[in-house]
Amino acid sequence: MLVELLIPLGVAVVLPIAIVAIVFKSVLASERNRKEIILAALEKNPNLNVEDLVKRMKKSEKLIKEKLLAKLQHGCLCCLMGVAFVLLYFFLSVQKEIFIIAGTVLIAIGIAFLVGYFVGRRMLAQEILAEEQSMNKE
């Protein structure tokens, strides 16, 4: 009985810490690689404009529209997964409470993403138009 309780608790504690550590290490490695590339370019050509090189190496940021569409996609996905878990709990006689809990949590998260999408679309309409016009000029 105690082991059954400790295993999910251990996973619930260790998994988020492991995810954060992996993401942090990958960001550090990415920054280290960028620094090494810049230093190597400067060694080969000392007259190189560093600011221009950094601008060219910079990751292209997502457009506001792309960010909003990602919110829409995540909201729909979370809602569908939540509904699937709730239906699984009620209709397929898989009577484990984790399904109903996970389903309602996923539906709530999905609704939050969808609200963020619709509010963001309304509030950022001017910025989206300006961004599209600046893209057309380039």
Side-chain angles (χ1 to χ4, degrees):
M1 173 96 176
L2 183 62
V3 173
E4 292 174 2
L5 291 173
L6 288 179
I7 291 175
L9 181 64
V11 169
V13 172
V14 173
L15 188 61
I17 293 172
I19 290 171
V20 169
I22 291 169
V23 169
F24 184 69
K25 281 187 144 195
S26 70
V27 168
L28 284 177
S30 172
E31 291 297 320
R32 189 177 330 111
N33 288 340
R34 288 184 54 173
K35 182 178 71 171
E36 289 174 2
I37 290 170
I38 291 171
L39 289 175
L42 281 174
E43 286 175 2
K44 289 183 179 181
N45 185 4
N47 299 328
L48 184 67
N49 186 359
V50 177
E51 289 180 23
D52 186 41
L53 179 64
V54 170
K55 282 181 185 177
R56 285 187 286 158
M57 287 181 60
K58 183 179 169 184
K59 292 180 184 176
S60 61
E61 288 189 24
K62 288 185 178 180
L63 300 173
I64 296 171
K65 199 172 196 176
E66 289 174 335
K67 291 178 186 177
L68 286 174
L69 288 175
K71 282 187 181 184
L72 178 66
Q73 181 182 13
H74 292 121
C76 291
L77 185 65
C78 285
C79 282
L80 287 175
M81 286 176 49
V83 168
F85 280 172
V86 169
L87 290 176
L88 189 69
Y89 176 79
F90 283 117
F91 292 114
L92 294 181
S93 67
V94 180
Q95 297 295 320
K96 294 193 177 190
E97 290 79 21
I98 192 71
F99 286 117
I100 194 74
I101 293 170
T104 54
V105 167
L106 281 171
I107 290 172
I109 292 171
I111 290 171
F113 272 120
L114 291 174
V115 167
Y117 166 74
F118 287 112
V119 170
R121 187 179 69 175
R122 181 173 293 154
M123 289 182 68
L124 300 173
Q126 298 292 334
E127 286 83 354
I128 292 172
L129 285 175
E131 199 172 59
E132 287 176 354
Q133 289 173 354
S134 70
M135 292 291 288
N136 290 336
K137 288 180 183 177
E138 293 176 0

